[in-house]
Amino acid sequence: MHQTKITSSNLPVSSLWVSEKKTKITTCLKGEISMQLVLADVAVSVSELKKNPSSVMNGANGSAVAVLNHNRVMGYMVPASVYEAMVERLDELELVQLVKERLDAKEVPIRVSLDELIAEAEADIANGH
């Protein structure tokens, strides 16, 4: 695995490793060593992010960015298209689970046409539901 050590004067970590798959931050606070898995190829401090968020996003080339506060991941920043794809995928997974549950419960499917569903949805909207 190829690893590159990154140092930054405003990011006082003992080591910050960026690899092709995962990033590990090792910090030393009051004599204690703490490690945290970072699920991004790019990590940035809150201070750096505040200075130029567009530059950070552009530098990540569409990948997730781990946002660090006091050497701990406080969140991830992703492009809107990535977030939208994630939400869409989660919705699909929830629907798959619902279908599996209904199949396991031996529920009898009801056939409806797409036009009927659209008409029902439009009626619900018109009635404020």
Side-chain angles (χ1 to χ4, degrees), residues 29-48:
L29 303 171
K30 297 181 184 175
E32 296 178 17
I33 294 177
S34 172
M35 292 194 320
Q36 182 181 20
L37 182 64
V38 180
L39 302 174
D41 291 332
V42 179
V44 65
S45 69
V46 174
S47 301
E48 283 296 316

Side-chain angles (χ1 to χ4, degrees), residues 36-89:
Q36 182 181 20
L37 182 64
V38 180
L39 302 174
D41 291 332
V42 179
V44 65
S45 69
V46 174
S47 301
E48 283 296 316
L49 181 62
K50 286 179 184 179
K51 289 177 187 175
N52 195 344
S54 296
S55 175
V56 171
M57 287 303 292
N58 291 337
N61 296 319
S63 297
V65 176
V67 181
L68 308 176
N69 188 22
H70 300 289
N71 302 329
R72 302 289 301 163
V73 176
M74 63 173 281
Y76 293 92
M77 187 171 66
V78 295
S81 61
V82 172
Y83 182 77
E84 291 162 2
M86 289 167 48
V87 170
E88 181 74 23
R89 181 67 177 136

Side-chain angles (χ1 to χ4, degrees), residues 68-124:
L68 308 176
N69 188 22
H70 300 289
N71 302 329
R72 302 289 301 163
V73 176
M74 63 173 281
Y76 293 92
M77 187 171 66
V78 295
S81 61
V82 172
Y83 182 77
E84 291 162 2
M86 289 167 48
V87 170
E88 181 74 23
R89 181 67 177 136
L90 288 172
D91 286 344
E92 290 171 2
L93 291 172
E94 288 177 6
L95 288 174
V96 166
Q97 184 61 35
L98 180 62
V99 168
K100 285 181 181 179
E101 289 171 3
R102 290 183 177 175
L103 288 173
D104 290 345
K106 308 285 189 224
E107 291 185 23
V108 178
I110 301 170
R111 288 201 177 271
V112 293
S113 72
L114 183 57
D115 291 335
E116 289 172 349
L117 289 175
I118 291 172
E120 185 178 325
E122 288 173 343
D124 285 348

Side-chain angles (χ1 to χ4, degrees), residues 1-32:
M1 177 187 300
H2 172 71
Q3 294 183 333
T4 306
K5 187 171 184 178
I6 295 176
T7 58
S8 174
S9 60
N10 64 350
L11 189 61
V13 297
S14 299
S15 64
L16 174 60
W17 294 93
V18 177
S19 67
E20 296 167 2
K21 297 285 180 190
K22 296 180 181 134
T23 304
K24 176 183 78 173
I25 297 176
T26 306
T27 62
C28 186
L29 303 171
K30 297 181 184 175
E32 296 178 17

